Amino acid sequence: MELTSTKEALLQMISVEEARIDSAVALQFKDGMRETTQGGEQTVLLDLRKVDFIDSSGLGAIVAAMKNLAPARKLVLAGLTPAVDKVFRLTRMDSVFKVYPDINDALAELRI
Amino acid sequence: MRVALAQVLKGLGPLGLNKDDIDNVELVLAEALNNIVEHAYAPDDAAGRITIKCMHQDNGLHLEIEDEGARMPDGLPPTGSGQDLCLAVEDLPEGGFGWFLIRSLATDVTYARVGAANRLRLRLAVGVSDQTP
């Protein structure tokens, strides 16, 4: 479960370098997020552009990551592909997370 | 499990389903298989067999999934109702979405205990024949 991270003054962007966040890797994703975000203070932008599949385990792991960062830090999502977006919409989790369809909008807004 | 999913999806190729429909099949199957692995086959058990059958009919794709694990409690699949999300962040659920997703995307969900096996049947309204007026 590969995550790449870039830190700026106001945000930490974490890109998921995998095509799937499913039951096979949900735990590694959670652990990876926890490790990568440890000790930071910025809002975390999760870049999901390469992810074309998540199931309920993947969704749960993303929720867990958000809970782990709260309350001091926010987790926002960007670049949801259609199948991933569908899972968030069906479960209405798109009302819980701030979701940016376009990562450039996310970066523009978060860098202010 | 990823391999099994990929094989099933590959087998659906001839149906010429659109991506949205294929995504739905993949998600429903993934959730059903997750449930079998997590609940029917407890961690200590030896690896168990799971059989997946797909049949395309006029009213959609019929899936039948059989496993030889523990029976479903109460002999009924969970209703998986949508969860209340008007919660503080720390109280948000991290699980329990699986059956909700299955129920959202599939219809005619039935479960039967057949001898020492669980049989889950469901139908997805994909690749449905056009009705002649």
Side-chain angles (χ1 to χ4, degrees):
Chain A
M1 164 48 63
E2 204 191 320
L3 305 170
T4 51
S5 164
T6 25
K7 280 187 191 167
E8 302 175 10
L10 296 173
L11 73 101
Q12 177 179 7
M13 180 163 102
I14 299 179
S15 301
V16 181
E17 305 293 346
E18 311 274 337
R20 304 171 74 88
I21 310 178
D22 57 8
S23 56
V25 296
L27 198 51
Q28 290 102 295
F29 174 81
K30 268 195 276 193
D31 291 343
M33 284 294 286
R34 196 176 302 122
E35 263 178 52
T36 310
T37 57
Q38 207 159 44
E41 290 173 354
Q42 318 91 324
T43 292
V44 174
L45 170 59
L46 190 62
D47 167 15
L48 295 170
R49 283 174 296 174
K50 292 197 175 132
V51 181
D52 54 41
F53 179 84
I54 63 167
D55 59 10
S56 59
S57 320
L59 178 63
I62 295 173
V63 172
M66 185 224 241
K67 287 162 79 170
N68 183 245
L69 289 165
R73 304 170 73 182
K74 287 197 320 196
L75 176 68
V76 304
L77 313 177
L80 273 60
T81 58
V84 175
D85 186 65
K86 178 185 296 180
V87 172
F88 276 86
R89 272 188 295 107
L90 284 174
T91 57
R92 286 177 293 128
M93 276 294 185
D94 56 342
S95 64
V96 169
F97 287 90
K98 175 78 181 167
V99 177
Y100 296 89
D102 188 330
I103 194 136
N104 294 309
D105 294 336
L107 291 168
E109 207 169 287
L110 294 170
R111 279 173 175 156
I112 298 169
Chain B
M1 201 196 327
R2 286 181 177 185
V3 173
L5 272 178
Q7 279 179 347
V8 171
L9 293 180
K10 194 167 161 206
L12 296 177
L15 290 177
L17 300 175
N18 63 40
K19 182 174 189 301
D20 192 55
D21 287 341
I22 294 173
D23 288 347
N24 290 347
V25 174
E26 183 172 13
L27 187 55
V28 167
L29 261 180
E31 296 299 342
L33 293 176
N34 282 345
N35 289 336
I36 293 171
V37 169
E38 280 170 46
H39 301 292
Y41 288 127
D44 305 342
D45 286 356
R49 173 191 291 268
I50 302 176
T51 313
I52 305 168
K53 290 183 195 163
C54 288
M55 227 179 8
H56 182 235
Q57 295 180 350
D58 284 347
N59 63 355
L61 192 67
H62 292 245
L63 297 171
E64 185 181 285
I65 305 160
E66 272 195 24
D67 71 83
E68 289 155 11
R71 68 170 67 232
M72 222 182 268
D74 304 327
L76 289 169
T79 42
S81 48
Q83 310 199 41
D84 181 12
L85 300 177
C86 293
L87 300 166
V89 169
E90 61 264 25
D91 296 329
L92 284 170
E94 290 169 42
F97 302 107
W99 275 107
F100 176 75
L101 287 169
I102 292 173
R103 295 270 192 197
S104 298
L105 296 170
T107 52
D108 304 344
V109 180
T110 61
Y111 164 78
R113 181 78 179 169
V114 183
N118 295 309
R119 180 193 293 159
L120 182 70
R121 282 181 174 159
L122 32 86
R123 173 171 69 89
L124 281 107
V126 298
V128 176
S129 309
D130 289 334
Q131 307 284 326
T132 43

